[in-house]
Amino acid sequence: MTTADLTWGLTMMAVGMGAVFALLAVLMLLLIGIGRLDRPARGHRKAAPPADAPPSEPAPSAPEVRILADGLTDDQVAAITVAVFTHAEQRRRQAAPETRTHAPGSQLFASRWLSVGRAHQTNPFRRR
């Protein structure tokens, strides 16, 4: 290796890394510019109420959903919802063998090495 080769390699490394960091800086500036353009205008903010104004009701954080059912109270609807979710979770745990990827109680999903070892234990290689 000559000094010229080393110089050329270092130059190419500096140019390549410089180009990458220059493009990252341009991308950063572009994203900062987009962020500034996307801000709400300053004139569209709500004015804060004066300090001596009476307190008003706090705005709800999310709209309230009211379920209208035939004669059911809110507690009954909540109990039915919990029962449905619990039932779905139990059914998911007791899935039919066709939908399972591994046998119940097996640890084959734990490791590829474990599954290969188990396969060699149950189906040993036989030379023909």
Side-chain angles (χ1 to χ4, degrees):
M1 178 182 333
T2 64
T3 307
D5 291 339
L6 184 60
T7 305
W8 184 83
L10 291 174
T11 304
M12 286 295 109
M13 181 186 72
V15 168
M17 291 179 70
V20 167
F21 284 109
L23 286 174
L24 286 174
V26 168
L27 182 63
M28 182 182 72
L29 293 174
L30 178 70
L31 289 174
I32 288 172
I34 290 173
R36 288 191 178 169
L37 290 175
D38 197 34
R39 286 187 194 158
R42 291 181 189 252
H44 292 288
R45 292 185 182 174
K46 287 185 177 180
D52 59 346
S56 61
E57 288 187 24
S61 60
E64 184 178 329
V65 177
R66 185 87 176 129
I67 300 173
L68 300 177
D70 294 331
L72 296 177
T73 65
D74 289 340
D75 291 336
Q76 291 171 334
V77 171
I80 291 170
T81 304
V82 169
V84 167
F85 280 121
T86 305
H87 174 72
E89 187 63 33
Q90 289 296 330
R91 294 284 294 172
R92 201 172 291 123
R93 286 190 194 136
Q94 300 170 355
E98 296 86 27
T99 62
R100 292 186 188 137
T101 57
H102 305 289
S106 73
Q107 297 293 318
L108 294 180
F109 61 88
S111 164
R112 179 176 283 170
W113 292 105
L114 182 63
S115 64
V116 169
R118 296 277 189 229
H120 283 294
Q121 286 178 350
T122 57
N123 301 319
F125 173 75
R126 293 190 183 123
R127 192 176 289 233
R128 292 182 185 182

